[in-house]
Amino acid sequence: FGEASFGEDERMAHHFVAQLRRAGPSMLPRKKTRILREVKEMPARLPLHADGSIAVRVDSARMDAMKALIVGAAGTPYANGLFAFDVYFPSDYPDCPMQVHNCTTGDGTVELNSNLYSNG
């Protein structure tokens, strides 16, 4: 993985670093407006409970690259598990879906279920 900026002095591994470099630092106004609206809605929409949560880290300078951490909900086979994801919003978002890479695969050796592939 390459690195993406998550703050002025912080570098972080991110699966979509090649796409981020190709896209360049600026975003189309429609894409930026949509992502900004969704980020503002996250505190009210994402669960934050002791028995299961979703946390998202957003770079204020590069909102089209995010990191997400899901804590498996109680009463499921994933209870208390931590699942990390890299998220990228392509240039033509919202006309195309965001891309998500599952980082919790043990370097491609673990497949948690048929919808979470070992290759991410």
Side-chain angles (χ1 to χ4, degrees), residues 1-68:
F1 299 121
E3 291 183 343
S5 174
F6 278 84
E8 216 172 279
D9 298 323
E10 190 173 348
R11 308 284 302 161
M12 198 175 257
H14 199 281
H15 180 77
F16 297 105
V17 72
Q19 290 90 328
L20 290 163
R21 285 188 182 132
R22 275 195 303 273
S26 63
M27 287 188 275
L28 296 173
R30 183 170 180 241
K31 174 183 173 181
K32 188 173 185 173
T33 300
R34 176 67 177 265
I35 294 172
L36 185 58
R37 186 179 81 215
E38 292 178 12
V39 167
K40 286 181 179 181
E41 293 173 356
M42 283 182 189
R45 302 188 107 183
L46 295 178
L48 183 59
H49 305 285
D51 63 346
S53 299
I54 299 175
V56 177
R57 181 151 189 201
V58 181
D59 181 355
S60 60
R62 191 71 203 239
M63 290 185 291
D64 54 349
M66 299 181 188
K67 293 255 188 210

Side-chain angles (χ1 to χ4, degrees), residues 55-102:
V56 177
R57 181 151 189 201
V58 181
D59 181 355
S60 60
R62 191 71 203 239
M63 290 185 291
D64 54 349
M66 299 181 188
K67 293 255 188 210
L69 183 68
I70 298 175
V71 179
T76 71
Y78 310 105
N80 301 316
L82 298 175
F83 306 95
F85 299 89
D86 284 346
V87 181
Y88 170 66
F89 295 83
S91 298
D92 47 355
Y93 182 83
D95 294 327
C96 70
M98 64 183 173
Q99 297 176 12
V100 179
H101 177 80
N102 179 7

